[in-house]
Amino acid sequence: MTNAPTYPPRRNPPPPPVPTGPTSEGPTVVRSPLLRTLLTDVRADKPDAEEQFWLRAAATGTPLVEPDPEGDPDHRLVTLVRREDPARPATHVLALVHTVTDKDRHAGDLAPHLMERIEGTGVWAISHRLRADHRASYQFHATDGSREDALRADRAGWLQVLDHAEPDPLNNRTPLPSRDGRNPASVLELPDAPAQSRTGRRDDVARGRTLDAEIDGRTITVHLPPGHRPDGGPYALAVLLDGEMWGPVLGVGDTLDNLHADGDLPPTVAVLVDTMGRRMDDLACSAPFVDWLADTLLPWAEREYGAGADAARTVVAGQSAGGLTAAFAAFQRPDRFGLALSQSGSFWWPDDERGTEWLTGQYAWAERRPVTLHLEVGLQEWMLLGENRRFRNVLRARGYDVRYREFNGGHDYACWRGGLADGLAELLGER
């Protein structure tokens, strides 16, 4: 919902699957026991019924998480609630749950994600039955216009929604930052979601240094491990694509400092490369871009910071198109990139007259490279899940060292920030 990177829409995207498992069930607000109690109290004219509801929501934090109405201990009923603003009354409120809402948007039908106003109250609500390990960012978009305008699913209308959507003020988790003037998002995190203990800023760890540089007109951010000395290497190296998101927005330096403090990472220099302004040029299996990384960026990192000389201790990491490019970099230049971390890789590329899943075919037929790959993809990523599984299968069949996991979430930095920490620790921590 915030700034998840991707390509423009595929020419012929597959239709969303029939909903099974962790997915939206549309507006089922009356299924929430807490809301049913509120409605009963309001109808009975119980004094301060709504105010008591909001006091409880503020104390416990939102969304409301209740036992599964079908009795399955592996699921929860999750209800998003928004308090009407008397100064800005809304006619419609859209709940944007990352990837869950996007499925229906791609199908052209946002109606299942309109929140309902509880009779006699200022409570807008919508319920989803989700698996208990689900994690997602989410926002609200309130409008005072027509239902037709609120449900616009075309690309231009959707971008307007994303530009104005707002976080949940009663969610007590640290919000997910955004960029380009968009609002942050709230994070829905159910009890069985994988821990992300290494992503937040800690006050009790040694701090590395963050520096800015420019190479060939491209902005680079460097994060040095605590105690770094130019002559103290050789250091491991992590090249992170979409650096303008990971650096100033998400503060990945805190994650790296935590990994170092916990002993999960050897002393590692991180080089964050800005790519978000030229994704179609750089991140579409571009040999010139990968050669620039290998022949210009890495020698520079070695000269300046003593990192990047050893391919077996050099990882390139990316998400979406960046995940595709990370895997391509290991294929194209295994002499410099011995490790690749791909999160939600766009392995469907290019999806045009050239066909689809080009990189998977290259790995299938070319000589095996001496590289290790770590792949992860979300169970909610209906446009990527099958492609990532096929890529994994090809790698395994060809005898590659591949680590693979699926998380219950979507195309979402709320998920990726934890996966990045885990992937870096797995790829570099044992070397």
Side-chain angles (χ1 to χ4, degrees):
M1 291 301 162
T2 49
N3 288 96
T6 185
Y7 289 117
R10 297 171 64 172
R11 273 190 188 177
N12 299 298
V18 175
T20 57
T23 182
S24 165
E25 293 191 348
T28 55
V29 295
V30 295
R31 298 178 67 188
S32 164
L34 288 171
L35 287 176
R36 287 202 301 267
T37 298
L38 170 63
L39 185 57
T40 298
D41 290 345
V42 168
R43 287 174 173 172
D45 293 325
K46 184 176 179 179
D48 299 326
E50 183 178 347
E51 189 59 32
Q52 290 302 313
F53 170 83
W54 287 120
L55 287 173
R56 174 173 178 171
T60 61
T62 52
L64 311 178
V65 179
E66 299 172 276
D68 178 37
E70 299 180 21
D72 184 348
D74 294 328
H75 285 75
R76 298 291 188 275
L77 184 68
V78 179
T79 303
L80 308 180
V81 291
R82 175 189 179 273
R83 190 170 193 171
E84 175 75 311
D85 181 355
R88 295 187 303 161
T91 55
H92 301 89
V93 180
L94 193 65
L96 314 177
V97 180
H98 209 304
T99 306
V100 172
T101 303
D102 300 71
K103 291 179 185 178
D104 290 328
R105 203 279 296 183
H106 275 278
D109 182 14
L110 285 169
H113 302 279
L114 279 180
M115 302 178 78
E116 294 182 352
R117 187 163 174 174
I118 301 300
E119 174 190 337
T121 76
V123 179
W124 292 89
I126 188 171
S127 293
H128 300 268
R129 181 177 180 261
L130 301 173
R131 221 170 68 178
D133 58 351
H134 198 110
R135 176 182 281 114
S137 58
Y138 72 97
Q139 295 173 306
F140 300 134
H141 184 242
T143 62
D144 59 3
S146 68
R147 177 183 172 89
E148 180 182 14
D149 286 341
L151 294 178
R152 281 187 58 189
D154 60 281
R155 183 170 178 79
W158 185 242
L159 290 175
Q160 286 187 357
V161 168
L162 298 183
D163 286 343
H164 296 95
E166 298 178 335
D168 179 354
L170 294 182
N171 184 299
N172 55 19
R173 298 186 181 276
T174 302
L176 182 70
S178 188
R179 64 187 296 269
D180 296 332
R182 287 182 175 172
N183 294 312
S186 300
V187 177
L188 183 166
E189 185 176 287
L190 295 187
D192 295 341
Q196 292 187 344
S197 60
R198 295 175 291 200
T199 60
R201 187 176 182 85
R202 300 181 194 165
D203 294 329
D204 59 345
V205 302
R207 299 272 175 234
R209 288 191 297 142
T210 299
L211 310 169
D212 294 324
E214 184 176 296
I215 303 177
D216 294 342
R218 187 188 296 267
T219 300
I220 305 294
T221 302
V222 179
H223 188 79
L224 302 175
H228 175 272
R229 301 192 325 271
D231 60 351
Y235 292 93
L237 178 66
V239 177
L240 308 187
L241 306 177
D242 290 333
E244 57 266 65
M245 189 69 189
W246 285 111
V249 179
L250 295 174
V252 74
D254 291 336
T255 297
L256 295 166
D257 291 344
N258 295 338
L259 287 165
H260 285 123
D262 292 345
D264 292 330
L265 206 62
T268 300
V269 173
V271 176
L272 286 57
V273 183
D274 282 14
T275 53
M276 297 192 85
R278 47 181 121 184
R279 298 181 66 78
M280 290 304 297
D281 293 331
D282 293 344
L283 304 186
C285 292
S286 168
F289 174 65
V290 168
D291 287 341
W292 180 85
L293 293 175
D295 298 330
T296 299
L297 182 72
L298 264 59
W300 172 80
E302 185 179 355
R303 290 192 307 270
E304 297 291 325
Y305 305 111
D310 183 1
R313 301 175 74 237
T314 300
V315 58
V316 54
Q319 300 73 38
S320 190
L324 171 76
T325 298
F328 175 69
F331 178 85
Q332 179 77 4
R333 295 299 302 268
D335 58 313
R336 300 311 303 261
F337 298 106
L339 307 169
L341 170 53
S342 172
Q343 297 179 273
S344 305
S346 297
F347 295 115
W348 55 262
W349 183 88
D351 195 21
D352 57 20
E353 63 276 1
R354 293 169 290 181
T356 60
E357 300 184 56
W358 176 85
L359 186 59
T360 301
Q362 297 300 302
Y363 269 96
W365 299 109
E367 178 181 354
R368 183 164 65 88
R369 273 62 169 161
V371 297
T372 297
L373 298 98
H374 179 103
L375 314 176
E376 71 165 18
V377 65
L379 291 171
Q380 304 301 315
E381 299 190 86
W382 55 273
M383 295 178 71
L384 293 173
L385 183 58
E387 289 84 346
N388 274 263
R389 287 174 174 173
R390 286 191 289 274
F391 184 54
R392 170 205 62 190
N393 292 344
V394 163
L395 293 174
R396 287 177 175 171
R398 292 302 315 279
Y400 278 92
D401 184 357
V402 55
R403 296 89 188 280
Y404 178 85
R405 77 162 189 151
E406 295 175 355
F407 57 89
N408 191 16
H411 211 67
D412 193 345
Y413 281 106
C415 301
W416 290 337
R417 58 185 176 181
L420 180 71
D422 294 343
L424 290 175
E426 183 165 313
L427 287 172
L428 289 172
E430 60 191 43
R431 296 172 187 273

